[in-house]
Amino acid sequence: MAEFEHEQRIPVDARAVFDVARDVGSMDAWLPDGLQVEPSGPERVTGRVSIGDDIDEAEGYFTADAEQRRLEWGDLDGEGYSGWLQVDEDGPGASRVVLHLDVRGEHPEAVGGEAHELTDGYLGQALDRLAALAADQAT
């Protein structure tokens, strides 16, 4: 198993950042290249991950706890991807966002090498995009 985690301070209110992050319909605007998510039912999503020529599609769960400002997701069989995103206040009009991803099984990201490095970079890219989108929507 491989674990990835990135943290970023965003100069936007925590509630506003969380509201942007939890909108499954617009996640493609902040998720990293190669990852697509679409709703497939109550607390269900279909996720597609493509790295190079490999495309992995799975049904998964997705929960949003507005009180805790926390998202959690993963594949239904527990053999691939899972993660969470936590948005906390970080002073007036600012937030601290932590994005965590676990990769299990035979996925290339779990064993190191180029796919591992790319995945780590994708988490940073996702937080940068989330910050930009939240800032745009806050103005």
Side-chain angles (χ1 to χ4, degrees):
M1 181 173 90
E3 291 185 61
F4 303 89
E5 190 168 292
H6 280 256
E7 182 176 325
Q8 184 166 330
R9 185 175 194 274
I10 298 176
V12 177
D13 178 74
R15 175 65 50 207
V17 173
F18 180 76
D19 287 344
V20 169
R22 74 177 175 172
D23 181 4
V24 177
S26 65
M27 278 186 176
D28 288 349
W30 67 268
L31 290 174
D33 295 334
L35 177 59
Q36 296 175 323
V37 176
E38 60 187 42
S40 59
E43 296 190 350
R44 294 289 186 258
V45 293
T46 299
R48 285 178 206 81
V49 178
S50 59
I51 296 180
D53 293 334
D54 297 328
I55 298 174
D56 188 18
E57 180 174 303
E59 290 296 313
Y61 66 90
F62 175 82
T63 62
D65 183 334
E67 185 176 314
Q68 297 295 318
R69 291 186 304 270
R70 184 178 179 93
L71 305 178
E72 295 186 4
W73 63 86
D75 57 5
L76 293 176
D77 63 12
E79 297 295 322
Y81 302 92
S82 64
W84 51 266
L85 181 135
Q86 179 70 45
V87 182
D88 293 314
E89 294 179 11
D90 192 31
S95 57
R96 179 140 324 264
V97 181
V98 178
L99 178 57
H100 181 93
L101 178 67
D102 293 318
V103 182
R104 290 175 295 287
E106 300 298 318
H107 299 283
E109 302 91 328
V111 296
E114 183 180 0
H116 185 93
E117 292 174 20
L118 285 170
T119 301
D120 190 58
Y122 288 154
L123 266 69
Q125 179 187 69
L127 288 180
D128 288 344
R129 289 178 173 180
L130 178 60
L133 189 59
D136 284 349
Q137 291 190 12
T139 57

